[in-house]
Amino acid sequence: MWKLVRHGHRVYCAPGNAGISRLAHCENIQPLDFDSLIRFARSERVDLVVVGPEEPLVAGLADRFRSSGFRVFGPGSDGARLEGDKAFGRELMAECGIPSPEFRIFDNYEMAVRHIRGCRFPPVIKAAGLAAGKGVVLPRTLEEAGTVLKEIMIDAKFGAAGQKVIVEERLEGEEVSVIGVCDGERTELLVPSQDHKRLLDGDEGPNTGGMGAYAPVPMMTPKLRREVEERVFLPLLRGLRRRGVDYRGAIYSGLMITSGGLKVLEFNCRLGDPETQVILPLLRDDLAEIALACSEGRLEANSVGHFERWALCVVATVQGYPGVYQKGLVVSCGAVESEQVVVFHAGTALDEGRIVSTGGRVLGVTGIGDTLQQARDVAYAALELVSFKGMYFRKDIGARGLAYLQG
């Protein structure tokens, strides 16, 4: 939203939050209320529809808008299966020869338990459905893995999303997020970023929807970037086209750069969060024009440019996240933003003129600088001006990138 407004476009958002309401017209329509969304878009003569969240994409909102005559940035439900059904995504990767970890898919609890008992390592366990970014668990022992399987498949910790699970080989290396924008035939890559998914410093604690990110990633050399394009995105697009999928939107690829080469951890059908909060401040071009070109199948080679700067985002959460946490907390973040600082709201709303929390992840504070260290200093200095009860954030966002740069 922020990037679209910065290029002078009139933007509508449904339903929006306290931060977006300062930039765009927010309409109180829920993302799965397809009929109301289409009526509103028609009444406002909207030129381009950008479907952001994964749930309406998986449910087919982009399909409904396209069939109603709108230009849409966002895949149809067939393409959104990449995220909505991670088992499908893994099978498609295997079919396309995309490098990925060893995996097995289970819809039977007893069979999954027998499998992990024979594992040589503590595996990664993923709920196959949508779990708001929290469906990936990294147990430390095989005993803990058994407990995780029970919580997901028997106790339904993630609801229907855990009816099927993927048990994967655990990889070691550097995680990198690479997002491409696609017009059905061509993909242009945005600047690579590194997310920090674990709750605690030192990459400890449970997985979250993301505690911070920075971009670019210094270890992503031009050679490695070309390899990602040739071994990941091009085969994926060919595989989707073979299945009759006309994919027009963003494709998120979560990678692990291991000692044996790159491996794909997952694909998502949207711009990632908080990666987007460091990628878009570095995007030089008009995001609306890029999205429109994708929607019309006319994306050109080398049409996406970036500023030669760095961005780092730190996410402020409520104490208790990603478990049980309090809502309705008053959030103070006045006078934080500047030319070098952008505050992206996540779980917030306006209540009688006050900003209050509505989710576990409340704000993402992004610093921009000429170096990674400068961007980091700016972001953490800005966080000192943000406050709400029980506020928590990681203190080590970007530390791995700095260590790499220092050799």
Side-chain angles (χ1 to χ4, degrees):
M1 201 64 58
W2 169 82
K3 187 65 175 177
L4 296 171
V5 171
R6 279 181 69 87
H7 282 267
H9 302 288
R10 180 167 176 77
V11 179
Y12 304 90
C13 184
N17 60 30
I20 292 173
S21 66
R22 298 176 303 150
L23 305 173
H25 172 84
C26 291
E27 192 73 10
N28 189 24
I29 305 174
Q30 296 306 306
L32 296 181
D33 187 351
F34 291 6
D35 292 337
S36 296
L37 288 169
I38 290 169
R39 280 196 299 270
F40 177 76
R42 281 179 174 153
S43 71
E44 298 298 332
R45 299 181 180 179
V46 168
D47 296 310
L48 173 69
V49 176
V50 179
V51 184
E54 64 274 28
E55 188 176 9
L57 286 168
V58 171
L61 180 56
D63 299 303
R64 283 288 303 277
F65 267 113
R66 287 193 178 96
S67 66
S68 300
F70 289 92
R71 291 171 289 192
V72 183
F73 181 78
S77 60
D78 52 3
R81 281 189 71 193
L82 281 174
E83 181 168 2
D85 182 356
K86 290 181 175 59
F88 164 78
R90 273 283 171 246
E91 290 167 345
L92 182 60
M93 288 182 231
E95 174 189 310
C96 297
I98 295 171
S100 57
E102 296 178 10
F103 70 95
R104 289 281 301 276
I105 299 168
F106 297 95
D107 59 10
N108 180 280
Y109 169 70
E110 286 77 15
M111 291 182 66
V113 169
R114 283 199 295 272
H115 174 71
I116 65 166
R117 285 173 180 163
C119 288
R120 302 185 309 275
F121 44 80
V124 176
I125 300 175
K126 296 182 178 181
L130 294 178
K134 306 182 191 76
V136 180
V137 185
L138 285 73
R140 290 167 291 185
T141 66
L142 294 180
E143 290 73 20
E144 186 181 342
T147 301
V148 168
L149 279 178
K150 180 178 180 296
E151 290 175 343
I152 295 176
M153 303 188 78
I154 303 300
D155 301 337
K157 180 178 181 178
F158 301 118
Q163 292 176 352
K164 186 185 295 183
V165 299
I166 306 163
V167 180
E168 294 183 358
E169 167 192 11
R170 185 177 301 197
L171 302 174
E172 298 293 335
E174 289 287 339
E175 285 196 51
V176 180
S177 301
V178 180
I179 299 174
V181 291
C182 179
D183 70 351
E185 297 287 336
R186 179 189 301 279
T187 301
E188 286 290 297
L189 303 186
L190 305 180
V191 63
S193 61
Q194 185 170 75
D195 186 13
H196 298 61
K197 295 186 184 300
R198 306 292 283 269
L199 178 67
L200 306 176
D201 288 356
D203 294 320
E204 298 289 338
N207 260 17
T208 71
M211 296 299 296
Y214 68 90
V217 180
M219 72 173 300
M220 281 293 291
T221 63
K223 179 182 178 182
L224 187 53
R225 186 183 172 97
R226 284 193 301 273
E227 185 179 356
V228 170
E229 186 171 7
E230 293 169 3
R231 299 189 64 199
V232 177
F233 283 90
L234 291 179
L236 177 67
L237 269 188
R238 286 195 293 265
L240 289 170
R241 286 198 298 268
R242 280 196 302 270
R243 290 171 175 252
V245 178
D246 184 9
Y247 196 107
R248 303 189 184 200
I251 301 177
Y252 168 108
S253 176
L255 308 174
M256 182 73 80
I257 312 302
T258 74
S259 58
L262 70 88
K263 299 287 181 72
V264 177
L265 300 177
E266 64 177 348
F267 285 117
N268 291 336
C269 61
R270 58 193 163 89
L271 294 169
D273 172 23
E275 292 94 333
T276 303
Q277 298 167 8
V278 293
I279 292 170
L280 292 187
L282 302 181
L283 179 64
R284 185 184 60 218
D285 301 301
D286 186 341
L287 178 62
E289 291 297 334
I290 293 170
L292 186 63
C294 289
S295 74
E296 295 177 338
R298 55 174 181 82
L299 186 65
E300 297 181 359
N302 303 314
S303 60
V304 178
H306 299 91
F307 296 113
E308 296 295 324
R309 303 195 75 190
W310 296 78
L312 184 142
C313 174
V314 184
V315 173
T317 73
V318 178
Q319 184 177 3
Y321 173 82
V324 178
Y325 53 84
Q326 188 177 353
K327 297 182 181 181
L329 303 170
V330 177
V331 180
S332 174
C333 57
V336 176
E337 294 191 281
S338 67
E339 283 300 309
Q340 289 183 286
V341 178
V342 186
V343 177
F344 292 100
H345 288 238
T348 69
L350 286 175
D351 181 11
E352 298 180 350
R354 303 177 306 169
I355 299 173
V356 297
S357 68
T358 60
R361 290 191 304 161
V362 179
L363 301 170
V365 177
T366 297
I368 304 164
D370 293 327
T371 65
L372 178 56
Q373 183 66 61
Q374 186 181 69
R376 189 172 190 266
D377 292 343
V378 167
Y380 277 107
L383 268 170
E384 295 180 5
L385 303 176
V386 176
S387 65
F388 53 87
K389 181 183 176 182
M391 175 172 148
Y392 169 79
F393 56 89
R394 279 182 58 164
K395 313 301 189 298
D396 64 343
I397 304 300
R400 295 177 74 133
L402 289 172
Y404 185 90
L405 289 169
Q406 293 164 4

